[in-house]
Amino acid sequence: MSSTNRTSLACLVILFFSATLLSHTTSRFLPVTSTNESHEQWMARYGRVYNDADEKEQRSKVFQENVRYIDSFNNALNKGYKLAVNKFADLTNEEFRNTRNRFKAHECSPSTSTFRYENLTAVPSSMDWRKKGAVTPIKDQGQCGCCWAFSAVAAMEGITQLKTGHEDVPANSESALLKAVSSQPVSVAIDASGSDFQFYSSGVFTGECGTELDHGVTAVGYGTSDDGTKYWLVKNSWGTSWGEEGYIMMQRDVDAKEGLCGIAMQASYPTA
């Protein structure tokens, strides 16, 4: 081989390895840059402002970890529901639980009255109380820590209990809950502490969750999805940017008597 050919070959080898190294370096740093840009866009969308550069850097790291978790979950394609980056994306799951889920089960004395829908035998195959004008618009509780507000509400609940009182749905019975929800919206308590619940976006939620009731929501209907999965239609109080415009479809008729996330454990409804 001539000297000129050997020189050309050497140049090609060097060029190849340089291009390979550049490719690996670029691919390694692109996701970080892209995620940083995504964080900036997310901040602008939700009006999030941090106190200083250190807090921003910390929140950016949390944001990136949550994005990776959401992408990994959605790419797995083994669930009937999806997650999405929402306004909670710069919070760790622990922070999310501490700022949003402050409900304590059995805060009120259980009702001693009978279950008025006990003998109800025929219930519609689906129900959506939104369509009947019985559900108010979605609200956003924010990071509410206003003890005076809860005190005022508790006082109102007390007089309401004395004047009209409420009834409890028999515990640990989705069939009893179905009868109640077919007749009116029902207050339920759930375990909403998981990351999948934090970033729920759409579909019938079938994720793993416990029964440590930490959040109060409202069952406003039920139905069956296109793939045959039965669900509860649940109204949340985290604003319309979470879930399906503030709602979540939670799987019903599960094997556990408590229902998914404990939805059948502590349900009640107001009476006239």
Side-chain angles (χ1 to χ4, degrees), residues 2 12 16 18 21 34 54 80 82 85 97 99 127 134 161 165-166 192 196 210-211 220 228 243-244 252 254 256 266:
S2 67
L12 287 174
F16 172 78
S18 298
L21 179 61
S34 177
D54 289 339
K82 292 291 185 181
V85 174
R97 297 196 308 267
T99 58
M127 177 58 67
Q161 169 70 6
H166 74 283
D196 287 6
T211 56
V220 298
E244 296 194 345
R252 65 181 171 96
V254 299
Q266 188 177 340

Side-chain angles (χ1 to χ4, degrees), residues 2-45:
S2 67
S3 175
T4 302
N5 289 337
R6 284 197 298 270
T7 301
S8 298
L9 179 61
C11 290
L12 287 174
V13 171
I14 293 172
L15 181 61
F16 172 78
F17 280 108
S18 298
T20 302
L21 179 61
L22 178 61
S23 174
H24 283 298
T25 303
T26 303
S27 64
R28 185 176 62 183
F29 287 107
L30 269 179
V32 176
T33 303
S34 177
T35 306
N36 284 335
E37 292 175 356
S38 297
H39 184 223
E40 293 283 354
Q41 294 171 359
W42 177 88
M43 290 175 59
R45 176 178 179 180

Side-chain angles (χ1 to χ4, degrees), residues 59-126:
R59 289 299 158 195
S60 180
K61 290 179 180 178
V62 173
F63 178 85
Q64 292 173 25
E65 291 176 0
N66 285 332
V67 169
R68 283 193 288 269
Y69 174 81
I70 293 168
D71 287 344
S72 175
F73 178 93
N74 289 338
N75 291 333
L77 299 176
N78 60 349
K79 297 289 186 180
Y81 62 99
K82 292 291 185 181
L83 307 185
V85 174
N86 57 26
K87 63 182 177 181
F88 305 128
D90 71 339
L91 298 177
T92 66
N93 183 250
E94 181 179 4
E95 291 171 331
F96 167 77
R97 297 196 308 267
N98 290 337
T99 58
R100 292 282 164 167
N101 301 342
R102 299 178 182 178
F103 174 87
K104 294 182 179 179
H106 306 295
E107 286 181 327
C108 302
S109 300
S111 170
T112 57
S113 59
T114 59
F115 178 44
R116 65 175 55 194
Y117 304 118
E118 181 178 1
N119 297 321
L120 188 63
T121 57
V123 298
S125 60
S126 65

